[in-house]
Short mmCIF file of all heavy atoms in Angstrom, two decimals:
data_model
loop_
_atom_site.label_atom_id
_atom_site.label_comp_id
_atom_site.label_asym_id
_atom_site.label_seq_id
_atom_site.Cartn_x
_atom_site.Cartn_y
_atom_site.Cartn_z
N CYS A 22 9.18 -38.51 -14.13
CA CYS A 22 8.18 -38.24 -13.10
C CYS A 22 6.79 -38.64 -13.62
O CYS A 22 6.04 -37.79 -14.13
CB CYS A 22 8.21 -36.77 -12.73
SG CYS A 22 7.19 -36.38 -11.31
N PRO A 23 6.44 -39.92 -13.50
CA PRO A 23 5.15 -40.38 -14.06
C PRO A 23 3.92 -39.80 -13.39
O PRO A 23 2.83 -39.85 -13.95
CB PRO A 23 5.21 -41.90 -13.88
CG PRO A 23 6.30 -42.16 -12.92
CD PRO A 23 7.22 -40.99 -12.93
N GLU A 24 4.07 -39.23 -12.18
CA GLU A 24 2.89 -38.70 -11.49
C GLU A 24 2.49 -37.29 -11.93
O GLU A 24 1.51 -36.75 -11.43
CB GLU A 24 3.06 -38.75 -9.97
CG GLU A 24 4.23 -37.98 -9.43
CD GLU A 24 5.51 -38.80 -9.33
OE1 GLU A 24 5.56 -39.94 -9.80
OE2 GLU A 24 6.48 -38.27 -8.80
N LEU A 25 3.22 -36.70 -12.87
CA LEU A 25 2.82 -35.38 -13.38
C LEU A 25 1.50 -35.49 -14.14
O LEU A 25 1.31 -36.41 -14.93
CB LEU A 25 3.89 -34.80 -14.31
CG LEU A 25 5.19 -34.35 -13.68
CD1 LEU A 25 6.16 -33.88 -14.75
CD2 LEU A 25 4.98 -33.27 -12.65
N THR A 26 0.63 -34.54 -13.90
CA THR A 26 -0.64 -34.49 -14.63
C THR A 26 -0.43 -33.82 -15.99
O THR A 26 0.63 -33.24 -16.26
CB THR A 26 -1.69 -33.69 -13.84
OG1 THR A 26 -1.27 -32.32 -13.78
CG2 THR A 26 -1.89 -34.24 -12.44
N ARG A 27 -1.43 -33.86 -16.82
CA ARG A 27 -1.35 -33.19 -18.14
C ARG A 27 -1.17 -31.68 -17.95
O ARG A 27 -0.42 -31.05 -18.69
CB ARG A 27 -2.60 -33.47 -18.97
CG ARG A 27 -2.80 -34.91 -19.31
CD ARG A 27 -1.80 -35.38 -20.33
NE ARG A 27 -2.05 -36.78 -20.65
CZ ARG A 27 -1.12 -37.68 -20.81
NH1 ARG A 27 0.14 -37.35 -20.68
NH2 ARG A 27 -1.43 -38.92 -21.10
N ASN A 28 -1.84 -31.11 -16.96
CA ASN A 28 -1.67 -29.68 -16.69
C ASN A 28 -0.25 -29.38 -16.23
O ASN A 28 0.32 -28.35 -16.60
CB ASN A 28 -2.69 -29.20 -15.66
CG ASN A 28 -4.08 -29.08 -16.22
OD1 ASN A 28 -4.26 -28.96 -17.43
ND2 ASN A 28 -5.06 -29.14 -15.37
N ASP A 29 0.33 -30.27 -15.41
CA ASP A 29 1.72 -30.11 -14.99
C ASP A 29 2.64 -30.13 -16.21
O ASP A 29 3.56 -29.33 -16.32
CB ASP A 29 2.15 -31.23 -14.03
CG ASP A 29 1.45 -31.18 -12.68
OD1 ASP A 29 0.93 -30.12 -12.30
OD2 ASP A 29 1.43 -32.23 -12.00
N GLU A 30 2.37 -31.07 -17.12
CA GLU A 30 3.19 -31.18 -18.33
C GLU A 30 3.09 -29.93 -19.19
O GLU A 30 4.08 -29.46 -19.73
CB GLU A 30 2.78 -32.41 -19.14
CG GLU A 30 3.14 -33.72 -18.48
CD GLU A 30 2.64 -34.93 -19.24
OE1 GLU A 30 1.89 -34.77 -20.24
OE2 GLU A 30 3.00 -36.05 -18.84
N LEU A 31 1.89 -29.37 -19.30
CA LEU A 31 1.69 -28.14 -20.06
C LEU A 31 2.47 -26.99 -19.43
O LEU A 31 3.14 -26.23 -20.13
CB LEU A 31 0.20 -27.80 -20.14
CG LEU A 31 -0.18 -26.53 -20.90
CD1 LEU A 31 0.35 -26.58 -22.33
CD2 LEU A 31 -1.68 -26.35 -20.88
N LEU A 32 2.41 -26.89 -18.12
CA LEU A 32 3.17 -25.86 -17.41
C LEU A 32 4.67 -26.05 -17.63
O LEU A 32 5.39 -25.10 -17.89
CB LEU A 32 2.82 -25.88 -15.92
CG LEU A 32 3.45 -24.81 -15.05
CD1 LEU A 32 3.16 -23.41 -15.58
CD2 LEU A 32 2.97 -24.94 -13.62
N CYS A 33 5.13 -27.29 -17.58
CA CYS A 33 6.55 -27.58 -17.84
C CYS A 33 6.95 -27.15 -19.24
O CYS A 33 8.03 -26.57 -19.44
CB CYS A 33 6.84 -29.07 -17.66
SG CYS A 33 6.85 -29.64 -15.95
N MET A 34 6.08 -27.41 -20.21
CA MET A 34 6.38 -27.02 -21.59
C MET A 34 6.51 -25.50 -21.70
O MET A 34 7.44 -25.00 -22.33
CB MET A 34 5.28 -27.51 -22.53
CG MET A 34 5.53 -27.14 -23.98
SD MET A 34 4.15 -27.52 -25.06
CE MET A 34 2.94 -26.34 -24.51
N LEU A 35 5.61 -24.76 -21.07
CA LEU A 35 5.67 -23.31 -21.13
C LEU A 35 6.91 -22.77 -20.41
O LEU A 35 7.54 -21.81 -20.87
CB LEU A 35 4.40 -22.70 -20.56
CG LEU A 35 3.14 -22.95 -21.40
CD1 LEU A 35 1.89 -22.55 -20.64
CD2 LEU A 35 3.22 -22.24 -22.73
N ILE A 36 7.28 -23.40 -19.31
CA ILE A 36 8.50 -23.00 -18.60
C ILE A 36 9.71 -23.27 -19.49
O ILE A 36 10.61 -22.45 -19.60
CB ILE A 36 8.61 -23.75 -17.25
CG1 ILE A 36 7.53 -23.28 -16.28
CG2 ILE A 36 10.00 -23.56 -16.65
CD1 ILE A 36 7.38 -24.16 -15.05
N LEU A 37 9.71 -24.43 -20.13
CA LEU A 37 10.80 -24.80 -21.02
C LEU A 37 10.93 -23.82 -22.19
O LEU A 37 12.04 -23.56 -22.67
CB LEU A 37 10.59 -26.22 -21.54
CG LEU A 37 11.71 -26.84 -22.34
CD1 LEU A 37 12.96 -27.01 -21.47
CD2 LEU A 37 11.29 -28.17 -22.90
N LEU A 38 9.82 -23.24 -22.61
CA LEU A 38 9.82 -22.27 -23.69
C LEU A 38 10.17 -20.86 -23.21
O LEU A 38 9.98 -19.89 -23.93
CB LEU A 38 8.46 -22.26 -24.40
CG LEU A 38 8.12 -23.53 -25.17
CD1 LEU A 38 6.68 -23.50 -25.65
CD2 LEU A 38 9.08 -23.72 -26.34
N ASN A 39 10.66 -20.78 -21.96
CA ASN A 39 11.09 -19.52 -21.36
C ASN A 39 9.98 -18.50 -21.22
O ASN A 39 10.22 -17.29 -21.32
CB ASN A 39 12.27 -18.91 -22.13
CG ASN A 39 13.50 -19.77 -22.04
OD1 ASN A 39 13.81 -20.30 -20.97
ND2 ASN A 39 14.19 -19.93 -23.14
N GLN A 40 8.77 -18.97 -20.97
CA GLN A 40 7.65 -18.07 -20.73
C GLN A 40 7.69 -17.64 -19.27
O GLN A 40 7.93 -18.45 -18.38
CB GLN A 40 6.32 -18.78 -21.02
CG GLN A 40 6.17 -19.24 -22.45
CD GLN A 40 6.13 -18.09 -23.42
OE1 GLN A 40 5.25 -17.23 -23.34
NE2 GLN A 40 7.08 -18.05 -24.33
N GLY A 41 7.45 -16.39 -19.01
CA GLY A 41 7.42 -15.87 -17.65
C GLY A 41 6.08 -16.16 -16.98
O GLY A 41 5.13 -16.63 -17.61
N THR A 42 6.01 -15.87 -15.71
CA THR A 42 4.80 -16.14 -14.94
C THR A 42 3.59 -15.44 -15.53
O THR A 42 2.51 -16.03 -15.68
CB THR A 42 5.00 -15.72 -13.47
OG1 THR A 42 6.11 -16.45 -12.93
CG2 THR A 42 3.76 -16.02 -12.63
N ASP A 43 3.73 -14.16 -15.90
CA ASP A 43 2.61 -13.42 -16.48
C ASP A 43 2.17 -14.02 -17.81
O ASP A 43 0.97 -14.13 -18.08
CB ASP A 43 2.98 -11.95 -16.68
CG ASP A 43 3.09 -11.18 -15.38
OD1 ASP A 43 2.40 -11.56 -14.40
OD2 ASP A 43 3.86 -10.21 -15.32
N GLU A 44 3.13 -14.40 -18.64
CA GLU A 44 2.80 -15.00 -19.94
C GLU A 44 2.10 -16.34 -19.77
O GLU A 44 1.14 -16.64 -20.49
CB GLU A 44 4.08 -15.17 -20.77
CG GLU A 44 4.73 -13.85 -21.14
CD GLU A 44 6.14 -14.02 -21.65
OE1 GLU A 44 6.92 -14.79 -21.06
OE2 GLU A 44 6.46 -13.37 -22.65
N ILE A 45 2.57 -17.15 -18.84
CA ILE A 45 1.95 -18.45 -18.59
C ILE A 45 0.52 -18.25 -18.07
O ILE A 45 -0.41 -18.92 -18.52
CB ILE A 45 2.79 -19.28 -17.60
CG1 ILE A 45 4.13 -19.66 -18.24
CG2 ILE A 45 2.03 -20.53 -17.16
CD1 ILE A 45 5.12 -20.29 -17.27
N ALA A 46 0.35 -17.33 -17.13
CA ALA A 46 -0.97 -17.06 -16.57
C ALA A 46 -1.94 -16.63 -17.67
O ALA A 46 -3.08 -17.11 -17.72
CB ALA A 46 -0.88 -15.99 -15.48
N LEU A 47 -1.49 -15.76 -18.55
CA LEU A 47 -2.33 -15.30 -19.65
C LEU A 47 -2.66 -16.44 -20.61
O LEU A 47 -3.82 -16.60 -21.01
CB LEU A 47 -1.62 -14.16 -20.40
CG LEU A 47 -2.39 -13.51 -21.53
CD1 LEU A 47 -3.67 -12.86 -21.01
CD2 LEU A 47 -1.54 -12.47 -22.24
N ALA A 48 -1.66 -17.25 -20.96
CA ALA A 48 -1.88 -18.35 -21.90
C ALA A 48 -2.85 -19.40 -21.35
O ALA A 48 -3.66 -19.95 -22.10
CB ALA A 48 -0.54 -19.01 -22.24
N LEU A 49 -2.77 -19.66 -20.05
CA LEU A 49 -3.60 -20.70 -19.45
C LEU A 49 -4.90 -20.16 -18.85
O LEU A 49 -5.75 -20.94 -18.43
CB LEU A 49 -2.81 -21.45 -18.38
CG LEU A 49 -1.56 -22.18 -18.85
CD1 LEU A 49 -0.87 -22.88 -17.69
CD2 LEU A 49 -1.91 -23.19 -19.96
N GLY A 50 -5.02 -18.84 -18.80
CA GLY A 50 -6.22 -18.24 -18.23
C GLY A 50 -6.34 -18.45 -16.73
O GLY A 50 -7.43 -18.66 -16.21
N ILE A 51 -5.18 -18.41 -16.06
CA ILE A 51 -5.15 -18.59 -14.61
C ILE A 51 -4.41 -17.42 -13.97
O ILE A 51 -3.82 -16.60 -14.66
CB ILE A 51 -4.49 -19.93 -14.21
CG1 ILE A 51 -3.04 -20.01 -14.72
CG2 ILE A 51 -5.30 -21.11 -14.75
CD1 ILE A 51 -2.28 -21.27 -14.30
N SER A 52 -4.45 -17.35 -12.66
CA SER A 52 -3.78 -16.26 -11.96
C SER A 52 -2.29 -16.54 -11.81
O SER A 52 -1.84 -17.68 -11.95
CB SER A 52 -4.40 -16.06 -10.58
OG SER A 52 -4.08 -17.17 -9.75
N ARG A 53 -1.55 -15.47 -11.49
CA ARG A 53 -0.11 -15.62 -11.21
C ARG A 53 0.10 -16.56 -10.03
O ARG A 53 1.03 -17.37 -10.03
CB ARG A 53 0.50 -14.27 -10.86
CG ARG A 53 0.62 -13.30 -12.00
CD ARG A 53 1.23 -12.00 -11.51
NE ARG A 53 2.46 -12.27 -10.77
CZ ARG A 53 3.68 -12.03 -11.22
NH1 ARG A 53 3.85 -11.48 -12.37
NH2 ARG A 53 4.73 -12.33 -10.50
N ALA A 54 -0.76 -16.46 -9.04
CA ALA A 54 -0.66 -17.33 -7.86
C ALA A 54 -0.82 -18.80 -8.25
O ALA A 54 -0.14 -19.67 -7.71
CB ALA A 54 -1.69 -16.93 -6.81
N SER A 55 -1.71 -19.07 -9.18
CA SER A 55 -1.92 -20.44 -9.64
C SER A 55 -0.70 -20.97 -10.38
O SER A 55 -0.34 -22.14 -10.25
CB SER A 55 -3.15 -20.54 -10.54
OG SER A 55 -4.32 -20.27 -9.79
N VAL A 56 -0.06 -20.10 -11.15
CA VAL A 56 1.17 -20.49 -11.85
C VAL A 56 2.24 -20.83 -10.82
O VAL A 56 2.92 -21.87 -10.92
CB VAL A 56 1.67 -19.38 -12.80
CG1 VAL A 56 3.04 -19.75 -13.39
CG2 VAL A 56 0.66 -19.13 -13.91
N ASN A 57 2.38 -19.98 -9.82
CA ASN A 57 3.39 -20.22 -8.78
C ASN A 57 3.08 -21.49 -7.99
O ASN A 57 3.99 -22.25 -7.65
CB ASN A 57 3.52 -19.01 -7.86
CG ASN A 57 4.15 -17.83 -8.57
OD1 ASN A 57 4.96 -17.99 -9.47
ND2 ASN A 57 3.78 -16.64 -8.16
N SER A 58 1.81 -21.74 -7.72
CA SER A 58 1.42 -22.97 -7.03
C SER A 58 1.74 -24.19 -7.89
O SER A 58 2.21 -25.22 -7.38
CB SER A 58 -0.08 -22.97 -6.73
OG SER A 58 -0.39 -21.97 -5.80
#
């Protein structure tokens, strides 16, 4: 998927590392809604 942005790739990496929505939100400094989006 060449159209993924760097932020998309970072989110993919955190998902791959089995991080939950709350953990991802905390790590990236964003809301749960932003993670879900």
Side-chain angles (χ1 to χ4, degrees):
C22 189
E24 60 270 7
L25 289 177
T26 66
R27 297 288 181 221
N28 286 338
D29 293 339
E30 291 176 353
L31 179 57
L32 184 55
C33 287
M34 180 187 69
L35 292 169
I36 292 168
L37 188 64
L38 293 171
N39 295 319
Q40 299 295 300
T42 301
D43 288 332
E44 295 166 316
I45 293 171
L47 183 62
L49 299 180
I51 60 177
S52 69
R53 289 179 52 106
S55 294
V56 174
N57 291 330
S58 294

